[in-house]
Amino acid sequence: MGKKIVLGLMTLVWIVLLGILLFFLWNKGSDSSKNPEENEESKNTIRITEEETTKEEDETESELSEEQKTEELIEEYLSNMPLEDKVSQLFFVQPEALTGVDTAVQASDMTKEALQEYAVGGIVMFSKNIQDRDQICAMLANLQEYSKYTLFLGVDEEGGSLVARVANSGTISVPTFPNMMEIGNTGDPEEAYEVGRTIGTYLKELGFNLDFAPIADVLVNPENQVIGERAFGSDAELVAKMVKRVVEGLQEQEVSAVLKHFPGHGGTEADSHEGTAILNRTLEELRSEEFLPFQSGIEAGADMIMVGHISVPEVTGDDTPATLSETVITDLLRNELGFDGVIITDSMSMGAIVDHYGPGEAAVQVIRAGGDMILMPQDFVEARQAILDAVDQQEITEERINESLRRIYRIKLRQ
């Protein structure tokens, strides 16, 4: 009898437990099937939240200004660019420096290979590189296509009879102008604008995107021969007005203007092509005359300024060429005049440099002084390696290189 009672109680317990389990399972299933809309609502809430998040991200993206988008793109480029390419981008060379040929008139497979190894930032053409319109158009287009990165393709096209590589090549018919002194003598800045607009138009058609012009030098020394009639005149305020309009005329055609030769080559007697050129002017004299056209060109939005191999001992305290002087490049041009575009040197193959400095030494000094691009070094490969070595030895930081590349790419991404 006792055993039967125990068994009965155990059976009852199992039945109760089973009932509780079944009741729980039934309620769980019933909740799901009973409220399908509520479950769907829950899913929809999650989906809507995700869509709103995506929408907010898109709105944030669209709220970025074009300038901010450009800066983000530049940082992306820099993060993926090898140091060797970064340093190469600081150089503006003749095509012959890449291939070793005497005169380059085409961009061949040899050029393509050279651009892959040495990803220079710019290539400058002279009259010897120009045979006819079709040839130079094809050469420039191929150079751009073969380069890993967008190239500056430049030429000295000031206008006039003295420095105009395309117009004076004798192989291409383009509009011509008198020397800039004659343009300045008209006293009409619109004449200067027409020079810039016309030159910019035909350079763009050929495939150039940069002109080493206008001359912003004030002819304060009438005995000066290297500038002479290339300048707009000896009146600094008139020259400033002329320079401004040339810059605007060029850059409206998407051709970068390069003001030259800071701090001013119009007061020298010697030619920096041949050797040391001294500018015996005080800082106050420079501010009152030579700086005015550069300031005007900066206000007009000039993309670049070329620093000349001009020694200004009254300012720097020694005969160091301006291209290698932190006082001239950083203190005066960058900080005092407020120029944040690209600062490029004059040709580093000139006597004022090669008579006193090796290619590597000079290149390193340019970057340390605050310059951004090095034009036509006497030995490009040696100069490039010297900067790489300086970075490796922590004499120059990679961030310093990046600073110059940001300025360079703000222009290149706009062209």
Side-chain angles (χ1 to χ4, degrees):
M1 184 74 177
K3 287 182 181 179
K4 286 184 180 179
I5 292 172
V6 172
L7 288 172
L9 287 172
M10 289 178 64
T11 302
L12 182 61
V13 169
W14 280 110
I15 290 170
V16 172
L17 290 173
L18 183 59
I20 292 170
L21 179 61
L22 289 172
F23 179 78
F24 176 76
L25 292 173
W26 181 82
N27 272 326
K28 188 173 180 185
S30 154
D31 286 343
S32 282
S33 58
K34 215 162 117 184
N35 300 303
E37 289 134 352
E38 289 177 11
N39 289 337
E40 191 58 36
E41 264 177 40
S42 177
K43 291 178 186 174
N44 286 340
T45 302
I46 294 170
R47 191 178 298 117
I48 289 167
T49 304
E50 289 174 348
E51 287 173 357
E52 286 177 348
T53 302
T54 304
K55 186 178 178 183
E56 286 172 6
E57 288 174 354
D58 290 342
E59 287 175 353
T60 302
E61 180 73 21
S62 64
E63 285 170 5
L64 291 175
S65 66
E66 288 303 314
E67 184 179 344
Q68 288 171 320
K69 290 176 184 177
T70 298
E71 293 302 313
E72 284 190 357
L73 188 55
I74 290 171
E75 294 308 315
E76 184 180 338
Y77 280 178
L78 295 185
S79 66
N80 293 313
M81 192 182 294
L83 177 61
E84 291 77 9
D85 286 358
K86 287 182 178 182
V87 171
S88 295
Q89 287 280 289
L90 305 180
F91 288 90
F92 211 124
V93 302
Q94 291 178 268
E96 291 81 7
L98 292 172
T99 59
V101 300
D102 291 334
T103 302
V105 292
Q106 64 175 329
S108 62
D109 288 341
M110 186 190 305
T111 310
K112 185 176 183 179
E113 290 174 10
L115 282 170
Q116 293 304 302
E117 183 175 1
Y118 300 113
V120 295
I123 297 178
V124 56
M125 298 291 174
F126 287 82
S127 293
K128 68 178 184 177
N129 304 117
I130 304 171
Q131 293 182 321
D132 56 54
R133 182 178 291 271
D134 289 344
Q135 169 266 331
I136 193 61
C137 284
M139 184 177 181
L140 294 175
N142 286 338
L143 283 169
Q144 202 67 271
E145 181 184 346
Y146 294 162
S147 178
K148 286 195 267 187
Y149 313 100
T150 301
L151 281 168
F152 284 130
L153 295 172
V155 66
D156 281 305
E157 198 74 5
E158 298 170 10
S161 63
L162 300 171
V163 180
R165 313 302 185 189
V166 175
N168 296 342
S169 66
T171 62
I172 297 180
S173 177
V174 295
T176 58
F177 296 93
N179 290 326
M180 294 305 102
M181 180 72 76
E182 200 169 321
I183 298 293
N185 287 341
T186 69
D188 184 1
E190 295 314 298
E191 292 285 332
Y193 171 78
E194 192 59 27
V195 170
R197 187 196 66 79
T198 303
I199 291 176
T201 298
Y202 70 69
L203 289 185
K204 183 70 175 177
E205 288 174 354
L206 295 173
F208 290 102
N209 56 21
L210 182 143
D211 186 9
F212 288 104
I215 289 280
D217 302 310
V218 182
L219 196 65
V220 295
N221 178 9
E223 301 301 316
N224 179 294
Q225 297 300 313
V226 65
I227 301 301
E229 293 191 357
R230 295 163 64 191
F232 286 104
S234 56
D235 181 331
E237 292 186 1
L238 174 66
V239 174
K241 292 175 183 176
M242 296 290 177
V243 165
K244 176 179 184 291
R245 293 301 277 152
V246 174
V247 168
E248 291 168 343
L250 280 170
Q251 295 196 171
E252 283 173 12
Q253 306 306 313
E254 299 180 341
V255 172
S256 290
V258 183
L259 308 176
K260 59 186 186 184
H261 310 78
F262 191 81
H265 214 326
T268 62
E269 290 186 14
D271 182 350
S272 56
H273 291 80
E274 306 298 329
T276 301
I278 304 291
L279 180 63
N280 288 310
R281 303 277 281 175
T282 67
L283 184 54
E284 288 310 311
E285 286 173 324
L286 292 174
R287 285 171 175 157
S288 65
E289 292 193 86
E290 276 90 343
F291 285 2
L292 297 186
F294 289 99
Q295 187 67 67
S296 176
I298 291 169
E299 291 169 0
D303 283 335
M304 286 196 193
I305 292 181
M306 177 185 287
V307 178
H309 306 310
I310 305 153
S311 300
V312 278
E314 295 289 331
V315 175
T316 63
D318 57 32
D319 289 343
T320 302
T323 35
L324 312 182
S325 169
E326 185 175 359
T327 299
V328 174
I329 292 178
T330 298
D331 296 346
L332 295 179
L333 182 51
R334 194 70 83 194
N335 296 337
E336 182 171 323
L337 271 66
F339 182 61
D340 195 37
V342 171
I343 296 175
I344 188 169
T345 70
D346 204 342
S347 168
M348 298 295 279
S349 297
M350 291 184 181
I353 296 297
V354 299
D355 289 351
H356 307 284
Y357 306 90
E361 176 191 8
V364 169
Q365 281 195 227
V366 169
I367 303 304
R368 293 179 69 176
D372 299 307
M373 297 195 80
I374 297 162
L375 177 64
M376 295 166 54
Q378 186 181 32
D379 186 323
F380 158 60
V381 175
E382 182 180 333
R384 173 182 177 270
Q385 188 58 51
I387 295 178
L388 285 170
D389 291 344
V391 175
D392 184 57
Q393 294 159 14
Q394 300 182 344
E395 295 174 15
I396 296 174
T397 65
E398 186 169 352
E399 177 54 27
R400 169 65 193 85
I401 304 296
N402 288 343
E403 286 174 12
S404 290
L405 291 175
R406 289 186 187 102
R407 297 187 187 103
I408 290 167
Y409 273 88
R410 284 176 195 133
I411 300 170
K412 288 187 174 183
L413 290 177
R414 194 186 67 239
Q415 290 180 330

